[in-house]
Amino acid sequence: MSEEFFWWNDEQKAIYKDVRQFVEDNLEEAEEYFWNTKFPWPLVKKVAKKGYFGAGVPKEYGGLELGATGSCIVAAQLGRLYAVGHVFTVSMLAGLEQVLRFGTDEQKEMWLPKIASGEELGALCITEPFAGSDAANVFTSAVKDGDEWILNGKKRFITGAGVSDRYFIYAKTSDDKALRKQYGHITSFMVEKGRPGFSLEKINPLIGFDNVPNGYIDFDHVRIPDINRIGAVGKGWNVMMAGLNFERLIGAAVFSGLFEDVINLLFHFTKRRVQFRKTTNQFPGVQEKIAEIITKAKVSRLFSYHCAKLIDDGGEPMVEASIAKMINTEYARDIGLKAIQILGGDGLTKFLPAERILREAKIGEIVAGTTEVQKMIIYRFCAMLPSYNKPMRLRWNDEVNAPIISRKESQFMGMDITEENVLKVISHDYKVNPGLYMTPDDVREDIGGGRSELRKIFEQLEQQGLIVIHRDRSGKTALVKATYEGLQKAFPKEYYQWFPAWYENADKF
Ligand SMILES: Cc1cc2nc3c(=O)[nH]c(=O)nc-3n(C[C@H](O)[C@H](O)[C@H](O)COP(=O)(O)OP(=O)(O)OC[C@H]3O[C@@H](n4cnc5c(N)ncnc54)[C@H](O)[C@@H]3O)c2cc1C
C-alpha cells in the first residue's frame, strides 16, 4: 500500500516519502498525547515547521503548492498521528480554497501565509444548533455598521474550537425571502480569536477525535472590519460550495493512512496469537476478513487520488468527492469492525490501535456532510448527467417477437397526428413496457407532431377515459398510459398476447 501512483509529480513523490518518515518518527509521541488526552501542541508545531500546513498553498504565499494530491498525501499520513491529522485537515480547510478563489490580493497576502505556516490554527464554522445538514439555515447574523460588521449568534461542533486562532464563518446577511430562495442570504467572514465578544461556550465530550477540542462558539456583538469579508455580500453559499469538493476529499483521505497501520497490526497479531494449536492467521475466516480490509484500503486510496487528480486538473468533481467521502468513512467503519473481530477481546481494549478507527469512522460518517447527504448529491448530480440519461427505447421486433433495445424509427412515425393514432402509440407501448408510462416526448419520438398538438390530444383522450395522465406539481402532463378501455379501443385482444414457443395451444384461452 505504500506505493506511489505513477501520475504523481516528483514533488508529490518526494513529500510522500518525507511525510511518511516524519510520521514514523513521531508515532510514539502521538500515542503519548492520545493516552494523556492532551492537545498535541509540540507535535503540531513540528508539523508546522515541516511546512506541511502549506501543502495546498501556492509557493508565492509560502506554501508547498502540491495541490489536492499533495494535500491528500499529507492528510493521509498525518491521520496516523491521532489528533494531528484532524487539526491539519481543518486548519487547511478553514479558508484555503475560499481565500484562493474569492479573496482579494490583499486578503491572500493576509491569510494564505498564515495558513501555510501553521503557526496559528484555523477552524471552519458552518454548523449551528439549528443548521446541520441544512447548512443554509444559519441564524448567526452579520450586520453592516460603517466599515465594520457586527456578528451575533452561535456555531457548534467546531473542530479546533479554542485552540484555533482563525475562524472561517458563514453568517446571514439578509432576511429577504426571495434572496434566501436563491441562497443569496449568506456571506463568509474570517474572525480572529481575541475579538471582543467572541468566546468559547462549550467543549463536547465525543465518541472519538479523542484529543481534538470540538465545541460551541459564541459571537456577542463581535465587530470585524470589512476586509475580513471573503467574497461578495450574499455570495457565501458559492464560497462554501467552491471549497466543498476539496474539503470532502481531504476529510476522506485523512482516514486512509490509518488503514495501513491496521493491516500491519493484524498481520503482526494473528501470526502470534495461537488458538486450537494454530496461529489465528491460519483460520479462513480471519484471512478472508484481512483480504477484505486490504481490498477496501486499496480501493479507497485509489479513488481518493483519482478525485484529487480531477481537482488538480481544474475539475469540480462533485460526485467523486462525495463518493470518496462516503466510501472512505464507510470502509473505515467496516475495517474497524472487522479488525476488532479478528483481534477478539484485545481489539476492544485501548491498548491496541484498532478500536480508535471504529470510533473515528462513526464521526466520519456524520461530519462534513452525512453519508445520506453524500448519497443525495451523488443521486441528484448523476440524474442530470447526459451519460446516464441517454435515450433508451425498447421497440417491438417482429422477427424475434420480443421487445428489444433499438434505435430504429417507430412503426408509427409519419402517421397523421389524430386521437386514434396517438392512442395506438400509447397502447402499443403497453405491449412493449406493460408497467411503464410514456413521457410526452416518448410519444412525440414515436409519431412526430408538435408538443401543444399532442397535449391537446392527450386531454381529449383523458376526457374519454382512454388514457390516464400523470401530472407534475405544476399541473403539466408528465406521463401518459392507456386505460383498459383505451387498450381495447386501440387494438384487438390478440395484439397484446404473447406466449413462448413451448407453450401448448391447448392450454391457451
Ligand atoms: C466530531 C465532529 C466534528 C465536526 N466539525 C465541524 C466543523 O469543524 N465545522 C462545522 O461547521 N461543523 C462541524 N461538524 C458538524 C457536522 O458537519 C454536522 O454534524 C453534520 O453536517 C450533520 O449535521 P447534524 O449533526 O446537525 O445532523 P442533522 O442534519 O440533524 O442530521 C440528522 C440525520 O438526518 C439525516 N438527514 C438530514 N437531512 C437529510 C436529507 N435531506 N435527506 C436524508 N437524510 C437527511 C442525516 O443524514 C442524519 O442522519 C462536526 C461534527 C462532528 C460530530
Side-chain angles (χ1 to χ4, degrees), residues 140-342:
T140 298
S141 64
V143 177
K144 191 89 194 279
D145 182 35
D147 280 346
E148 291 186 324
W149 290 88
I150 304 173
L151 304 174
N152 276 291
K154 291 178 193 296
K155 295 277 174 189
R156 69 167 185 162
F157 285 133
I158 306 307
T159 302
V163 292
S164 299
D165 282 275
R166 284 185 327 269
Y167 295 77
F168 195 88
I169 78 155
Y170 295 89
K172 182 179 64 154
T173 41
S174 169
D175 282 315
D176 185 289
K177 279 193 179 147
L179 263 184
R180 199 192 182 296
K181 262 194 174 166
Q182 298 157 16
Y183 295 92
H185 62 299
I186 302 173
T187 306
S188 46
F189 302 92
M190 193 75 95
V191 188
E192 306 94 329
K193 183 155 131 179
R195 296 247 170 221
F198 180 24
S199 61
L200 184 64
E201 184 173 280
K202 188 194 281 180
I203 293 294
N204 295 310
L206 291 168
I207 184 175
F209 281 29
D210 298 277
N211 43 347
V212 188
N214 174 286
Y216 287 57
I217 49 177
D218 187 88
F219 301 94
D220 181 5
H221 293 86
V222 177
R223 282 183 172 271
I224 51 167
D226 193 45
I227 183 86
N228 283 31
R229 170 176 52 80
I230 314 294
V233 175
K235 291 289 175 207
W237 187 255
N238 301 31
V239 176
M240 195 192 295
M241 291 301 120
L244 271 189
N245 292 335
F246 183 70
E247 285 160 24
R248 290 197 169 125
L249 172 65
I250 305 302
V254 77
F255 284 93
S256 64
L258 278 177
F259 299 165
E260 192 180 330
D261 288 336
V262 168
I263 295 165
N264 207 19
L265 168 70
L266 293 177
F267 278 123
H268 170 87
F269 186 99
T270 59
K271 286 178 184 173
R272 289 163 179 80
R273 173 74 180 160
V274 177
Q275 289 292 289
F276 300 102
R277 284 198 247 149
K278 279 182 175 172
T279 52
T280 54
N281 69 340
Q282 292 179 69
F283 298 132
V286 166
Q287 291 179 0
E288 193 189 295
K289 283 189 193 70
I290 295 179
E292 282 170 7
I293 289 173
I294 294 169
T295 305
K296 287 192 165 150
K298 282 192 173 281
V299 169
S300 77
R301 189 168 185 269
L302 178 62
F303 199 85
S304 297
Y305 288 107
H306 159 63
C307 181
K309 178 84 172 86
L310 295 177
I311 294 179
D312 286 339
D313 287 350
E316 286 287 358
M318 193 87 175
V319 170
E320 284 77 6
S322 284
I323 293 175
K325 160 77 174 57
M326 183 179 76
I327 65 171
N328 277 27
T329 52
E330 275 186 11
Y331 286 3
R333 170 171 44 83
D334 190 56
I335 288 172
L337 281 170
K338 286 200 167 83
I340 291 171
Q341 201 65 21
I342 292 167

Side-chain angles (χ1 to χ4, degrees), residues 453-490:
E453 186 182 16
L454 283 173
R455 203 177 325 118
K456 273 188 208 130
I457 294 181
F458 293 153
E459 276 160 21
Q460 285 154 5
L461 289 170
E462 185 191 38
Q463 276 166 20
Q464 296 163 55
L466 298 172
I467 68 164
V468 171
I469 297 181
H470 174 77
R471 293 184 167 80
D472 64 18
R473 272 199 250 169
S474 65
K476 267 200 203 144
T477 299
L479 296 165
V480 295
K481 71 162 181 140
T483 61
Y484 186 67
E485 289 73 23
L487 293 175
Q488 280 183 318
K489 179 146 194 214

Side-chain angles (χ1 to χ4, degrees), residues 124 126-127 132-133 157 159 206 214 363 366-368 370 372 376:
L124 179 64
I126 303 173
T127 310
S133 303
F157 285 133
T159 302
L206 291 168
N214 174 286
I363 291 179
I366 289 173
V367 69
T370 64
E372 290 80 359
M376 205 163 76

Side-chain angles (χ1 to χ4, degrees), residues 332-481:
R333 170 171 44 83
D334 190 56
I335 288 172
L337 281 170
K338 286 200 167 83
I340 291 171
Q341 201 65 21
I342 292 167
L343 299 167
D346 286 319
L348 294 168
T349 71
K350 287 188 196 289
F351 297 120
L352 290 182
E355 53 80 46
R356 170 194 165 211
I357 195 169
L358 178 61
R359 295 184 292 111
E360 305 233 324
K362 200 54 237 166
I363 291 179
E365 288 182 304
I366 289 173
V367 69
T370 64
T371 297
E372 290 80 359
V373 168
Q374 306 310 327
K375 286 181 181 167
M376 205 163 76
I377 293 167
I378 295 164
Y379 176 82
R380 286 190 185 167
F381 272 79
C382 290
M384 292 187 301
L385 284 181
S387 54
Y388 289 136
N389 290 279
K390 289 185 286 237
M392 198 197 95
R393 292 297 300 271
L394 284 169
R395 297 207 184 283
W396 195 265
N397 183 301
D398 283 330
E399 238 168 80
V400 295
N401 192 30
I404 57 175
I405 293 174
S406 165
R407 292 196 178 168
K408 282 193 191 130
E409 200 171 71
S410 151
Q411 65 195 75
F412 301 101
M413 186 48 88
M415 285 185 177
D416 293 339
I417 315 296
T418 60
E419 278 181 31
E420 188 188 349
N421 287 339
V422 169
L423 180 63
K424 279 203 157 95
V425 169
I426 300 173
S427 299
H428 171 77
D429 195 66
Y430 166 76
K431 182 179 163 105
V432 181
N433 305 291
L436 299 186
Y437 284 70
M438 295 181 90
T439 68
D441 279 345
D442 290 342
V443 178
R444 199 160 156 252
E445 197 186 314
D446 280 5
I447 192 167
R451 287 200 170 90
S452 59
E453 186 182 16
L454 283 173
R455 203 177 325 118
K456 273 188 208 130
I457 294 181
F458 293 153
E459 276 160 21
Q460 285 154 5
L461 289 170
E462 185 191 38
Q463 276 166 20
Q464 296 163 55
L466 298 172
I467 68 164
V468 171
I469 297 181
H470 174 77
R471 293 184 167 80
D472 64 18
R473 272 199 250 169
S474 65
K476 267 200 203 144
T477 299
L479 296 165
V480 295
K481 71 162 181 140

